[in-house]
Amino acid sequence: MPDRRAILTGAVLGSAAMVGATAFGGTDAQAAFHRADPNLVGGQLDPGFAEGLVTSISGGVLGVRGSDRVLHRIQVTSATSLWKMDPISLREVAVGDGLYARGARLPDGTLAADAVWVNLVNLDADIAAISASRVDLDHHDQRIVAHVVKGKSAVTYKSDEATGDLSRLKVGHHVRVLGVWLPNTSEMTISTIHSMATE
């Protein structure tokens, strides 16, 4: 089984590459990926960004242990956008979930979250098998089952508009897949597959 922590914290962003979801009018998977703040220099950390695994939930505050072992407190309010394949409420966030959050630091160091993406994964992989309901992926020699959600999962071919038609995907194609990790499994649900295939 793939190392869930490695996929969540290594294969996804690796740095502060998110902006607040409200700038895009939503909190879908695409909204989470954007170029880093141009004002950040070199390896400078973005104070408005946090990532890691949820270790505690107390009221509206999430305790999160980052991949660098830094502990974060993330304040979720009624104005915070939360996404896990669809917009969700704080009740649907669980200890053990991975997350990425964007917001503003309060004087005590707490991150007041504008947007939180839960169990979001963004990985490069090769298609090992495909059916109407799932796409088996080879990611660094690890097999990941990616489930197709009718009416929600989409694919983009080169620069074409997103479509629910996966018929042009073929075994062996290299793809980038955005979606939601299913905790404690080697499976995910597909939000968007990006394919550069021409045929």
Side-chain angles (χ1 to χ4, degrees):
M1 185 172 72
D3 184 318
R4 177 174 177 272
R5 183 183 179 88
I7 289 177
L8 284 169
T9 60
V12 186
L13 297 179
S15 64
M18 295 165 50
V19 296
T22 53
F24 292 85
T27 58
D28 63 11
Q30 301 298 328
F33 297 93
H34 193 66
R35 64 187 178 89
D37 184 341
N39 297 318
L40 296 177
V41 179
Q44 184 180 0
L45 297 177
D46 186 344
F49 169 81
E51 58 78 28
L53 296 179
V54 177
T55 57
S56 66
I57 303 173
S58 178
V61 178
L62 302 174
V64 174
R65 184 180 68 250
S67 59
D68 55 5
R69 300 189 182 277
V70 171
L71 300 178
H72 301 279
R73 287 171 45 86
I74 299 176
Q75 177 70 59
V76 175
T77 71
S78 59
T80 303
S81 297
L82 293 106
W83 182 90
K84 189 196 279 189
M85 197 70 178
D86 290 299
I88 61 169
S89 70
L90 183 58
R91 292 188 302 274
E92 295 167 85
V93 179
V95 170
D97 281 341
L99 65 74
Y100 294 87
R102 165 65 61 189
R105 292 287 173 181
L106 301 175
D108 67 357
T110 299
L111 181 70
D114 171 55
V116 176
W117 291 266
V118 181
N119 291 338
L120 175 65
V121 288
N122 174 17
L123 52 88
D124 287 307
D126 296 313
I127 297 176
I130 188 167
S131 70
S133 62
R134 62 187 263 184
V135 179
D136 289 4
L137 303 170
D138 181 5
H139 174 69
H140 300 300
D141 296 322
Q142 300 285 346
R143 184 61 59 92
I144 296 172
V145 175
H147 297 279
V148 176
V149 182
K150 188 174 181 180
K152 293 182 181 179
S153 298
V155 59
T156 63
Y157 299 97
K158 292 202 143 190
S159 57
D160 294 348
E161 292 292 320
T163 175
D165 178 12
L166 278 65
S167 65
R168 290 164 57 189
L169 295 176
K170 305 294 181 191
V171 171
H173 279 180
H174 186 74
V175 291
R176 176 170 286 273
V177 185
L178 284 83
V180 174
W181 195 257
L182 302 180
N184 303 310
T185 73
S186 56
E187 302 182 22
M188 64 181 290
T189 54
I190 299 168
S191 175
T192 309
I193 297 176
H194 297 281
S195 171
M196 294 304 291
T198 57
E199 297 181 358

